[in-house]
Amino acid sequence: MEYKTGTFTKSLSREQLKEISKLLPNPHIYNDSIKGVKILIQEKYKISSNEFDNALDIINKHREFSNNRGKEIIFSTLSKSTLEKFGECAIGVRDWQQASKDIKHSELCLLWVFSEISGWRYIDNYYSEDLNDLYRAAKHKHNITSYSINPKVELSYVINGMKKCGQKTYAEILNQYLYVHKSNGDEKLKGSFN
């Protein structure tokens, strides 16, 4: 199933690339510690230096995996204002139907996609690599409106989808609303992971 993503090498599966991404040093200390880590990874996964370099190239270009090593690749543009409106609606401070009038269609689609990619609506098991296709479909094939997403119900799913896709900055902005919502005793939000 994971091979449909196209994220693998001749010797390494997607899951192994994900594991390796978690072993790699952050880019700001990379030069100081890569030699030892490279040898460790080559021995553990029985790969050559060229195969390691190929894996590193894939990891550096991959939203989810590059984020594992502290390098975020932001997808599209969600304004802070839109994220705040979504969060405020989730905790009941604002009315979603009114607030969503000021949100661009592309941003509304992206919020829907993050909720969708978390996998809660359907049995489909999405990977972070599905982000581009889901976003394109949301914008051009689905009729996404403010009625397609419910902030009060879907806040944790949107956050989970963001994290799954390596969108740490977006997730951190919305996380503050999740904690406010939970501290108010509302248990409707479930499933958020750290």
Side-chain angles (χ1 to χ4, degrees), residues 96-97 108 112 115 121 143-150 154:
W96 174 239
Q97 294 311 313
L108 193 61
W112 181 86
S115 180
R121 280 192 180 96
N143 186 22
I144 302 299
T145 68
S146 61
Y147 294 102
S148 303
I149 188 165
N150 181 340
E154 298 181 52

Side-chain angles (χ1 to χ4, degrees), residues 151-189:
K152 288 183 179 180
V153 174
E154 298 181 52
L155 177 62
S156 64
Y157 299 115
V158 170
I159 293 169
N160 288 348
M162 289 171 169
K163 289 178 180 178
K164 185 175 193 174
C165 296
Q167 304 303 293
K168 181 181 172 188
T169 302
Y170 294 155
E172 285 175 354
I173 292 170
L174 286 182
N175 252 337
Q176 65 187 341
Y177 297 100
L178 181 64
Y179 297 127
V180 168
H181 205 296
K182 284 186 175 183
S183 70
N184 286 339
D186 192 334
E187 292 301 318
K188 288 181 184 177
L189 299 176

